Amino acid sequence: MQKLKKILDGSITFFTCSLMLIMVLLVIWQVFSRYILNSPSTFSEELLRYLLIWVSMLGTAYVFGRKGHLAIGFFVKRLPNKAHYAVNVFIELVLILFAAIVMVLGGTKVVMMTLGQISPVLGISMGYVYLSLPLSGALTIVYSIISLYEFINKQKSKDIQKDKINNLNI
């Protein structure tokens, strides 16, 4: 599971950093064309908007994978061990359910509805812009499954160690 997570992290990092580089170059072009050439670029503003959507959605999935999202762990850490375990499993399952229903299913519906809509300047299907939503949802689900797997295995190893200690004390 760690290998899969490492591959996902590297892929998302490479893709989002590449998009950010393109965005920086587009902003430079936009400023240059507006103030030096006195002819603002029309495609760069629209493309920047769409790339920002992609970077944001993929970045969201990446942050979930790194457990860098906003969480209120103060109360969960104070719970007894079994309750702590149950709450963490419940949170991951709710996250998987949310990502599956809202992001993947809802996002797929949005993509299907917007495939026929064409962006005004670039002339691309808006479905490609909104494709970032179900893709981000799928990545979030994969990251949550990995997190759930790691948490359950960590808990099992703690229980095994506790049993060994109890057997030694007998």
Side-chain angles (χ1 to χ4, degrees), residues 14-31:
F14 176 78
F15 193 67
T16 54
C17 286
S18 299
L19 291 179
M20 289 295 291
L21 177 64
I22 293 169
M23 290 173 68
V24 167
L25 295 174
L26 283 170
V27 168
I28 291 170
W29 170 250
Q30 177 73 15
V31 170

Side-chain angles (χ1 to χ4, degrees), residues 17 31 41 64 88 134 136:
C17 286
V31 170
S41 172
F64 269 103
N88 278 322
S136 175

